[in-house]
Amino acid sequence: LCLLVERRQLLGVATSFAIAHSLTLVISTLGLFSLPSRPVEILIGASILLLTLEVMRKWQGIDGLTARRPYLVSFGIGLIHGLGFAGALSDLGLPKGQGLLSLIRFNFGVEFGQFAIIAAALILAWMAKRSAPKAVPIAATCVVYGIGAISAYWVIERLAGYVV
């Protein structure tokens, strides 16, 4: 998302994602809604693939849905990723009698991790621009294509699991 939105929008987009995945994490953990893990994993991979394709389109000068509606897209993707976090949390199991407190702690850890990664990415991008500005576009292209390839593989592998 850092490559798709303006820096002034980044905090809002990250917050929109955090609110959405917190909602689905709580709703799913409380047993109000859930999906099996395989469709959730496919949707997570597809959402990451969508973002890589949107970055590539932006580099071509085409404003896609993510550029036009970044908060809405990040909220939708956050809903999907929240289901994935809920699945991970259910695999870990909540301690008896501490369900809500454990859920809050888990979610806080996820949020802290998300914002720490964003901060680290911004610092690395700033350092790269200062030290090797000509290498930045090449590195960004490699990262985006690498993430796109991995997410496409993830989607195909999980879809193949349904066929086999």
Side-chain angles (χ1 to χ4, degrees):
L1 275 174
C2 292
L3 297 172
L4 287 167
V5 298
E6 304 295 325
R7 283 203 179 115
R8 59 184 167 76
Q9 293 177 311
L10 190 56
L11 183 60
V13 168
T15 301
S16 175
F17 177 87
I19 290 168
H21 80 67
S22 296
L23 283 172
T24 51
L25 177 61
V26 169
I27 289 168
S28 183
T29 303
L30 295 176
L32 301 174
F33 178 80
S34 66
L35 288 175
S37 63
R38 187 169 305 265
V40 172
E41 291 173 359
I42 292 168
L43 289 171
I44 289 171
S47 71
I48 295 168
L49 182 58
L50 167 74
L51 292 177
T52 62
L53 294 172
E54 287 282 287
V55 169
M56 292 175 204
R57 289 172 48 109
K58 185 172 183 174
W59 288 343
Q60 295 171 349
I62 302 167
D63 279 345
L65 179 62
T66 306
R68 291 189 311 268
R69 301 276 190 263
Y71 304 107
L72 180 63
V73 171
S74 69
F75 190 84
I77 291 173
L79 292 173
I80 294 166
H81 287 240
L83 291 171
F85 286 123
L89 184 58
S90 71
D91 290 345
L92 292 173
L94 291 172
K96 299 234 185 275
Q98 296 183 15
L100 182 59
L101 183 59
S102 295
L103 178 61
I104 291 169
R105 286 180 181 157
F106 179 83
N107 197 47
F108 179 76
V110 168
E111 301 309 330
F112 179 79
Q114 172 187 307
F115 284 99
I117 289 170
I118 290 170
L122 290 174
I123 291 168
L124 285 173
W126 176 78
M127 289 170 52
K129 280 185 179 181
R130 287 194 53 162
S131 63
K134 291 183 180 181
V136 170
I138 295 167
T141 301
C142 290
V143 168
V144 169
Y145 276 85
I147 291 171
I150 291 167
S151 60
Y153 174 79
W154 178 309
V155 170
I156 292 166
E157 178 192 40
R158 270 121 182 114
L159 283 172
Y162 275 127
V163 177
V164 175

